[in-house]
Amino acid sequence: MHLYIHIPFCESKCYYCSFTSLKKKNYEDSYFNALKKDLNFQLNFFNIKKKSIKTVFIGGGTPSIIQAKYYEEIFKILEPFLAKNSENTCEANPNSTSLEWLKEMKNFGFNRISFGAQSFHPEKLKFLGRIHSQDMIFKVLENANKANFKNINLDLIYDTKMDNKKMLEFELFNLKKIKPLITHLSAYNLSIEPKTIFAKKESFKKNAPYLMNFFIKNIKKLGFFQYEISNFAKNKTYICKHNLAYWQGKAYIGCGLSAIGFLKNQRFYTIKNLKDYIANPTFRDIEKLNPQDLNLEYLFLGLRSCVGLNEKKLDNTTKEKAFFLTKKRKLIYKNGIFYNTNYLLSDEIALYLS
């Protein structure tokens, strides 16, 4: 089993962000009390056995603006259920992460940290609504290494209207400088989402495939290998096991405001209003997925990652189309699995196969 926990609090709202995030306003105690009830209930509901949770991912929001002591209580609940060598990740921002906080989190049992940098360029950071500087990125990575984190991710965003070859070369230059300090990179092309400050501002996205290919190609030249459309690791040891579980269609629990869980053919949604969640943290709205929904999701997730498509899970028509794409060198067929050769085309290929 895998577990996601959402921390909805932020210092400020980034202009592109569609995740649930709110100002703290002294809700930490009541929120974490609700979260503990939610977590205990879900562990029981899913009948989670001891030592069976393989990954934990705490995301946000900005988990690093919450004092470490709150996570200690969460970890005490989880400890009996964590598998040996479980991957335990927490997201953090450069401007709100101290060395002391990192050391405490490491002592609790977190062994992977993920920093939302998004860019090294001051003007691009400002454009995205980020409130940290380039220097803060370098400093927080140094501190994570001092705190003895061996698995460190950095997030970047590209394909914004500010991105041209010169801008991407600037990002790559700085990425090369910090390469010894990280083990993993997530590079997301900008998505314009509803209910964000960027909503309906389609011109803020570049939509330049040649620049996307340029950026990805040069990330690989730095020594990272791409195993998903937005994810790169120094080697297979550092592939994010939590995200890989999503792409493999594994079951996972979601706890916290606006969190989502998944089991077999059902999705479980928590409440989206903070006060309502605090009042009733164990409530779940359940969505039942039909075979067509599950099949389409299988195609999309497999084609955008190293997971690929198992021919045994494809009907005859889809399999025929897949073999046709191997002749066109759009897919590779190996040991009963179809693999995508260009993740940037994953959505188009999935729609063709569906």
Side-chain angles (χ1 to χ4, degrees), residues 75 156 315:
F75 234 86
L156 293 177
D315 60 36

Side-chain angles (χ1 to χ4, degrees), residues 294-307:
L294 291 168
N295 181 62
L296 185 59
E297 190 164 286
Y298 175 72
L299 294 176
F300 273 102
L301 295 175
L303 289 167
R304 63 173 283 160
S305 70
C306 63
V307 173

Side-chain angles (χ1 to χ4, degrees), residues 231-248:
N231 285 278
F232 306 77
K234 279 190 172 177
N235 58 55
K236 290 184 179 180
T237 302
Y238 300 113
I239 287 176
C240 179
K241 296 179 178 66
H242 185 85
N243 286 341
L244 190 62
Y246 291 153
W247 308 324
Q248 291 172 326

